[in-house]
């Protein structure tokens, strides 16, 4: 399959997909790299005053509506899409933007507002804690990345002049990955 038209089509598809997904790839590379260098971002926190009788049962099947009712009753302006329940702590997500965290303590229910800085926002998006539509986009990006990788390899194999270099690069890259991931 060394037809120049077919190869050109694969090259164009590979370039368009890579270009379209480049911002998402950069988000992951920059936020992940900064995280590995010790900068995971920061959250500014502030206490949120709850009514004295405020309570939530974190095991309730109606927790979502209970939280919405508490926010409405306490006149707290906080929009959220879903809740992450960790037993004694619940987070109102997405956490890539200002959000609330509720804790069950010996003194009762407490709440804090957490506001991420730029790197904190990037990390929360990177970890999949962003808005639902962004999580859907990330799933598409993951599929796209697979396409970009295999498309690039395919393009390399379609050109006779690049087959050997493509094979060597794939084998060396695979060996380095396997060694570092499983034997180091």
């Amino acid at each position: 399959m060394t037809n120049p038209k077919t190869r050109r089509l694969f090259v164009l598809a590979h370039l368009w997909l890579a270009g379209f997904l480049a911002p998402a790839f950069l988000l992951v590379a920059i936020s992940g790299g900064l995280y590995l260098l010790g900068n995971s971002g920061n959250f500014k926190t502030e206490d949120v005053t709850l009514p004295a009788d405020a309570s939530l049962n974190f095991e309730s099947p109606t927790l979502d509506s209970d939280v919405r009712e508490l926010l409405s009753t306490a006149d707290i302006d906080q929009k959220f899409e879903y809740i992450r329940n960790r037993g004694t702590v619940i987070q109102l997500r997405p956490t890539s933007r200002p959000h609330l965290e509720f804790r069950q303590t010996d003194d009762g229910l407490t709440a804090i507002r957490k506001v991420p800085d730029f790197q904190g926002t990037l990390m929360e998006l990177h970890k999949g804690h962003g808005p639902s539509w962004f999580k859907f986009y990330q799933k598409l990006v993951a599929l796209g990345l697979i396409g970009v990788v295999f498309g690039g390899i395919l393009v390399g194999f379609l050109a006779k002049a690049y087959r050997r270099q493509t094979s060597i690069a794939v084998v060396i890259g695979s060996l380095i990955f396997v060694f570092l991931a499983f034997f180091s």
Side-chain angles (χ1 to χ4, degrees), residues 86-174:
R86 298 180 183 272
T88 59
V89 177
I90 60 171
Q91 293 176 321
L92 305 186
R93 290 204 174 159
T95 53
S96 58
R97 56 186 177 214
H99 62 280
L100 293 181
E101 206 172 83
F102 292 94
R103 289 184 186 276
Q104 296 283 11
T105 68
D106 293 337
D107 298 328
L109 186 66
T110 63
I112 58 171
R113 182 176 314 280
K114 296 178 83 173
V115 181
D117 63 8
F118 184 69
Q119 173 60 8
T121 295
L122 292 180
M123 278 309 304
E124 291 301 302
L125 290 171
H126 179 127
K127 294 188 289 186
H129 301 167
S132 296
W133 59 266
F134 193 81
K135 289 169 50 171
F136 177 75
Y137 168 72
Q138 286 176 299
K139 292 172 187 175
L140 293 178
V141 167
L143 290 173
L145 178 57
I146 292 168
V148 167
V149 169
F150 285 117
I153 293 169
L154 179 63
V155 166
F157 283 133
L158 287 177
K160 190 172 185 176
Y162 295 116
R163 283 184 192 146
R164 179 175 160 83
Q165 292 90 338
T166 301
S167 298
I168 291 170
V170 169
V171 168
I172 291 173
S174 298

Side-chain angles (χ1 to χ4, degrees), residues 1-17 151 154-159:
M1 190 193 302
T2 57
N3 180 337
K5 288 183 181 182
T6 303
R7 184 173 182 281
R8 184 176 190 276
L9 178 66
F10 279 121
V11 168
L12 284 175
H14 173 76
L15 292 175
W16 271 96
L17 192 57
L154 179 63
V155 166
F157 283 133
L158 287 177

